[in-house]
Amino acid sequence: MEERESTDASAERVVVHAPSDHEGAAICGLLAGAGVAATWAGTVEEICDRLDEGAAAALVAEEVFAAGRGGPLLAWLARQPPWSDLPVVVLAAGAANTTHGAALDLLAKRAHVALLDRPVRGVTLVAAVSAARRVRRHQH
């Protein structure tokens, strides 16, 4: 990973991974309507590929950590340069869910994490993503 200029358009976008293509498209559309560039990633590996291209934040569903599938994302976060702390917004299943608790704890040690329970209001999602992007801008 290389340091990117904050003026690079890819450095301002959000990488989105949701439980379904439909939900991912809806989230990307919601963010676009709020003036936030977003790109869809269908798999954990695609999340990492998009992050390598540049991003201000990642928005991922908690399910990405099911059955150990979150390993590539955790590894990507562990390889960040010392100055970097990519913000990650996690869409949680809602009800008290401890299924992925260990993975989320590990994620919180490697990234700036915001946890949002689903269903989440659009305005709340946009506000959380906007805050994550501001955090990333300050790092650059």
Side-chain angles (χ1 to χ4, degrees):
M1 279 174 277
E2 63 187 51
E3 184 173 347
R4 297 184 179 272
E5 294 290 323
S6 60
T7 57
D8 184 1
S10 63
E12 286 292 316
R13 70 182 179 170
V14 176
V15 176
V16 175
H17 176 75
S20 70
D21 292 349
H22 176 73
E23 189 175 348
I27 290 170
C28 286
L30 173 72
L31 293 174
V36 177
T39 184
W40 165 250
T43 67
V44 179
E45 292 75 19
E46 288 177 16
I47 296 169
C48 296
D49 289 344
R50 301 293 181 280
L51 293 176
D52 282 340
E53 295 165 0
L59 181 121
V60 300
E62 179 183 26
E63 291 86 346
V64 80
F65 300 103
R69 292 183 308 129
L73 177 57
L74 293 172
W76 190 96
L77 292 166
R79 290 190 310 268
Q80 293 182 91
W83 62 266
S84 182
D85 187 16
L86 181 83
V88 179
V89 178
V90 177
L91 297 175
N97 184 353
T98 58
T99 308
H100 312 117
L104 291 174
D105 287 344
L106 188 55
L107 174 64
K109 292 177 183 173
R110 296 186 179 171
H112 183 93
V113 176
L115 188 63
L116 300 176
D117 285 337
R118 287 193 311 247
V120 62
R121 292 179 13 181
V123 67
T124 303
L125 182 65
V126 169
V129 167
S130 296
R133 291 175 71 220
R134 275 191 306 278
V135 165
R136 189 64 168 173
R137 264 188 239 114
H138 286 298
Q139 291 175 32
H140 287 280

